[in-house]
Amino acid sequence: METRRLIRNVEGDNSHDDSCESSEVSSLLPNEDIQNGIKQVEAITLTWTKNSLIAAYACILLVHFVNSLQTSITSNLTPYVVSDFGLHSLISVIEVVSSLLGGILRLPTAKILDTWGRCEGFAAMVFVSTLGLVLMAVCRDVQTYAAAQVFYSVGFTGVSYVLNVVVADTSSLQNRALAFAFQSSPYIITAFMGPSAAEWFYKTAGFRWAFATFAIVTPLMCLPIFGLLYYHQRKAEKEGLLVSTSVDRTFWEIFCHYSVEFDAVGVILLSTGLILFLLPFSLASSAKSTWHAPHILAMLITGTILLLQFFLYERFIAPKPYLPFALLTSRTVIGACILDAVIFVGFYCWDGYYTSYLQVVHDLSIAEAGYIGNIYSIGSCFSTLIAGYLIRVSGRFKWLAWLALPLQVLGGTLMIFLRQPDTPISQLILPQLLIALSGGTLIITSDIAIMSLSSHAEIASLLALLALAANIGGAVGGSVSGAIWTNILPRELLKELPEELKGDAWKIYEDLQVQLSFPVGSVVREAIIKAYAVTQFWMCVAGTLVLGIGFVGVAMWRDVRVGEKRQVKGVVF
């Protein structure tokens, strides 16, 4: 085998001293002092060829294509699905819960990847996402649909996360931003395909067939990358780069072993603390006494205590901490998490109910509203490619964040004034373009910032931590937009509707199809448009104000030279 020949050649070269031989041999073997999942992926990259790497990236592109197409279709159909149950306002609640759980469950997913392996973690996430799609296809009530959305969100964000880790495993730090940008490029195509497909499903087969179709397609399209990774894992075992070891343990010993390996206590403290701390932001708007309700206060206090216990446990007690405490408290890690959280708070404030706004206020079809709603996906994908190339050439990343963040603020400010009923569509698009181009750059630079300080063994956990920050931001943003929507829109509808229809205000509020049933130019449609305009104005204000915190996050980063650090082994990009 090629790898064995390389090792023998190094061992047989007497012109080098023992220390040089040892160093060269170790570069051709997986590290022994790391967890099993990281050993596996290092062995995989040591056994495959350049063609295998190209094939792996092609398979990853295929999965991202299916994932992004499904996401686009689902986001455009969701308002109609929940309206079908007479609960249009439930959109934000579903988004908050699914986003929050999707982020939190990446913590144990990271430990699965590091402890058991990338193949095992990928298969688990594909199963969960497929289960979510099946439940969405067969649901008959909003409770089942909400549960299905949680499975779907956890599974699909998990699939994307695992593939991000695989790309990080197989790319140098200098080229990693470009590799990350490359794998997200299918979103440029599906941004156009998704809205049209969603409209076709809605008008012909129905939304359930959309979910059923992808419940079949998704696992099939995920098989190639799973098969390629598994094949090279088996190849590494045959070449002696991976040695399967079986230890005879009792059930209790197995439980204790993996509890330590997974840092189960730490993960439970952090996950439970975050859920209890963040859910009140979504629930408070529906509580009779809002923030003064006893259960809201109890959740906030308990969540805060558990989060403090997590930091104390990780610092003083954990046998194998989730991350080294010095890295967990690093200013670069904290700053990257702050920036990602802030960006997603702003995005979900701006984006909440946006396609509904476009259809009601500007009388666009599902497809047309979807195209405009997907400007962020298109623009951010282009900007990540450019940013990735500039990072590769310059060897630095922080300067790009300083350029992009003011553009993000400018886009948000323009959105406050331009998201009005009398604004032409061409002007409505301008702030979205600024937010998209700057947002993609900020996301990719925060990814590189957080990975620039880590070893290979810490990449999966750090990416999970950053994704958690983004999901927390999304949950907070969804909660804010949901609170604004549920408090302002009904009030404005009651204010603007004719007297004879004020009794139907709640029915109109909860059903997008009822809103669209009133002709453009009618008194009722104009009343609905005015209510939407006021609501969206305050959502944009909230999303823009929070961006100021992002400057603090970027200022905390260390400006690491990415070309001077080697993290991975074998044939990589």
Side-chain angles (χ1 to χ4, degrees), residues 271-324:
S271 302
T272 309
L274 285 171
I275 290 173
L276 290 175
F277 183 79
L278 291 170
L279 274 183
F281 290 93
S282 177
L283 299 176
S285 60
S286 62
K288 290 183 179 180
S289 52
T290 61
W291 292 103
H292 300 291
H295 68 283
I296 295 292
L297 294 174
M299 291 172 71
L300 282 171
I301 294 169
T302 306
T304 303
I305 292 171
L306 289 175
L307 291 175
L308 290 173
Q309 287 179 338
F310 165 75
F311 283 104
L312 293 173
Y313 176 80
E314 293 294 300
R315 177 66 180 88
F316 298 109
I317 302 174
K320 285 193 176 182
Y322 181 77
L323 283 168

Side-chain angles (χ1 to χ4, degrees), residues 247-263:
V247 180
D248 188 17
R249 295 189 180 105
T250 65
F251 175 80
W252 178 248
E253 289 172 337
I254 293 172
F255 175 80
C256 293
H257 171 74
Y258 283 111
S259 294
V260 172
E261 291 292 321
F262 277 73
D263 187 25

Side-chain angles (χ1 to χ4, degrees), residues 5-70:
R5 287 199 301 272
L6 285 170
I7 295 172
R8 283 198 297 269
N9 288 341
V10 172
E11 290 173 340
D13 188 354
N14 294 323
S15 63
H16 292 76
D17 59 31
D18 291 343
S19 62
C20 290
E21 288 179 13
S22 176
S23 174
E24 291 186 54
V25 171
S26 66
S27 69
L28 298 171
L29 292 170
N31 291 328
E32 290 300 319
D33 56 346
I34 55 178
Q35 291 180 297
N36 187 58
I38 306 164
K39 286 181 187 177
Q40 286 180 6
V41 76
E42 287 192 352
I44 287 171
T45 57
L46 286 167
T47 58
W48 68 9
T49 62
K50 193 173 183 179
N51 288 335
S52 301
L53 178 64
I54 293 171
Y57 276 41
C59 293
I60 289 172
L61 275 180
L62 178 64
V63 176
H64 275 294
F65 176 82
V66 174
N67 196 349
S68 59
L69 182 60
Q70 165 58 25

